[in-house]
Amino acid sequence: WGRTILRGAAVAGAALAVVAAAVLLDTRKEPAAGAAGASRFAAKWLKDDPAAAAAAFPWTVRDASLAAPPGRGPNRLAEAKGSRHPWGFSLERSGRTGPAAWISLAAVLALLAAGFRALWLRGGAWRGVGAAAACWIGFHHALHSVWGAGETFLYAPHWVGAQSLLVGAAAVAWRPRSRAATAEVWLLAACAAAWNLRNIGLMLDALR
């Protein structure tokens, strides 16, 4: 276990190092103009309440697959970037207290755990793949508990690849045992895609 987890963490750490090096070496943009600019940028977006951000992250993992209907909020870039819209979109959910919310959260976390277990049971290099995916999601949990500009949902593309890998591994593991279970997974994926396309359509309509 320990050796595989360390390998997974090393893969995630190497990917992070590449991204950090690209930011530090890119002197054409502000505020990422070298180490001093990167330091100022990091300090600017520290979270005021890390405990609340840490508790909210699992919900953001769930919402990365099925976003809330788009709402509107202040556009922090409107003045700096000269946007013609004084507002921005919000896709984070506010209500998280109903039974359906907790059931959906448990279902997503169970799928991720099932995917990790399936990769672990396959052995060999697959264990490292599963560990890397879990460590990558865990890294973003730790990072966005203390740092982030605006809604954590905005950073979902950073970990949704690892999340999709684990969900896909769970679906493949079920295939030999239950075609119905596999069909249900793909049906849910199709419904999620249709829902998210609807949200994109609503945002495009609002921009017209």
Side-chain angles (χ1 to χ4, degrees):
W1 271 88
R3 187 180 304 173
T4 303
I5 295 297
L6 286 176
R7 288 176 180 173
V11 172
L16 175 63
V18 171
V19 173
V23 170
L24 292 175
L25 293 175
D26 186 3
T27 58
R28 297 170 298 173
K29 298 179 181 180
E30 290 291 342
S39 178
R40 291 193 300 271
F41 181 67
K44 181 179 180 181
W45 300 113
L46 290 176
K47 297 279 188 179
D48 295 328
D49 191 349
F57 185 83
W59 297 94
T60 309
V61 170
R62 182 202 66 174
D63 294 346
S65 300
L66 193 63
R72 293 188 186 184
N75 185 358
R76 65 183 181 85
L77 298 177
E79 297 181 2
K81 301 296 184 180
S83 172
R84 61 190 179 95
H85 297 291
W87 44 265
F89 290 112
S90 172
L91 292 171
E92 287 197 330
R93 299 174 189 268
S94 56
R96 295 168 175 165
T97 57
W102 288 99
I103 291 173
S104 62
L105 174 64
V108 170
L109 296 181
L111 274 174
L112 296 179
F116 177 80
R117 179 177 181 273
L119 292 173
W120 186 268
L121 292 178
R122 293 191 68 173
W126 289 109
R127 289 189 174 185
V129 171
C135 288
W136 189 246
I137 296 174
F139 161 75
H140 284 286
H141 187 177
L143 173 64
H144 295 300
S145 295
V146 297
W147 185 89
E151 298 179 348
T152 304
F153 182 88
L154 298 174
Y155 299 95
H158 297 174
W159 71 77
V160 76
Q163 181 176 336
S164 300
L165 187 150
L166 293 178
V167 172
V172 171
W174 287 340
R175 181 177 297 171
R177 303 174 186 176
S178 173
R179 292 184 178 179
T182 303
E184 289 175 5
V185 171
W186 290 113
L187 177 61
L188 289 174
C191 291
W195 175 264
N196 291 330
L197 286 174
R198 171 185 175 273
N199 283 346
I200 293 173
L202 291 174
M203 288 187 284
L204 291 176
D205 290 341
L207 292 172
R208 291 175 182 170

